Amino acid sequence: MPTKEELIALCLQLPGAYEDYPFDEGEWCCMRHSGNRRIFAMLFERQGRIWINVKNEPMWGDFWRQTYSAVIPAYHCNKLHWSSIIVDGSMSVEEILRLIQDSFDLTSPMKKHRVMAP
């Protein structure tokens, strides 16, 4: 299972991504686009696990939640447009990165409209 620091490092490989800690408690790491400052992932610890909140189109959010037990309606976010990934070892790093990439694309200043399924 990847650590929070490893997941942050993977997010930072996306073009124009940077990390931010906007909340007083400092444990929530927000990954943002430098072009529009929009958040594409939020990483935090909860219940002894690393969680990642990612944006998704509602129909894909339903799909991911039905496909992976580690994907649930987002903690502390709009549950229609955001999902939480619980990093518990049930998903591969590649699968987690796919959902992060989808969120990155949806929040990008150069938003791409998807024609095919992810």
Side-chain angles (χ1 to χ4, degrees):
M1 281 187 300
T3 65
K4 182 178 175 183
E5 292 75 21
E6 291 169 334
L7 290 165
I8 291 169
L10 290 169
C11 288
L12 287 172
Q13 292 179 12
L14 295 167
Y18 71 96
E19 63 186 292
D20 186 21
Y21 295 86
F23 307 113
D24 289 335
E25 60 270 3
E27 81 176 55
W28 281 64
C29 175
C30 294
M31 302 305 303
R32 296 181 182 266
H33 292 275
S34 59
N36 63 6
R37 297 190 34 89
R38 290 185 71 189
I39 294 171
F40 66 88
M42 290 176 269
L43 296 92
F44 56 98
E45 294 181 37
R46 183 170 194 276
Q47 301 173 334
R49 303 247 187 237
I50 304 301
W51 289 45
I52 310 165
N53 284 358
V54 292
K55 188 171 180 76
N56 48 241
E57 293 177 351
M59 69 177 190
W60 286 113
D62 288 341
F63 172 79
W64 297 127
R65 293 171 194 163
Q66 291 175 20
T67 304
Y68 301 109
S69 62
V71 180
I72 62 172
Y75 178 71
H76 270 309
C77 289
N78 179 301
K79 295 176 182 0
L80 179 64
H81 295 282
W82 289 80
S83 294
S84 287
I85 304 165
I86 304 168
V87 182
D88 62 4
S90 65
M91 293 176 71
S92 70
V93 173
E94 291 78 19
E95 292 167 324
I96 293 170
L97 289 177
R98 183 176 191 169
L99 274 71
I100 291 172
Q101 179 70 57
D102 288 347
S103 182
F104 181 84
D105 292 345
L106 284 169
T107 56
S108 170
M110 302 296 285
K111 183 178 174 183
K112 300 174 190 169
H113 295 282
R114 216 179 272 271
V115 177
M116 299 180 65

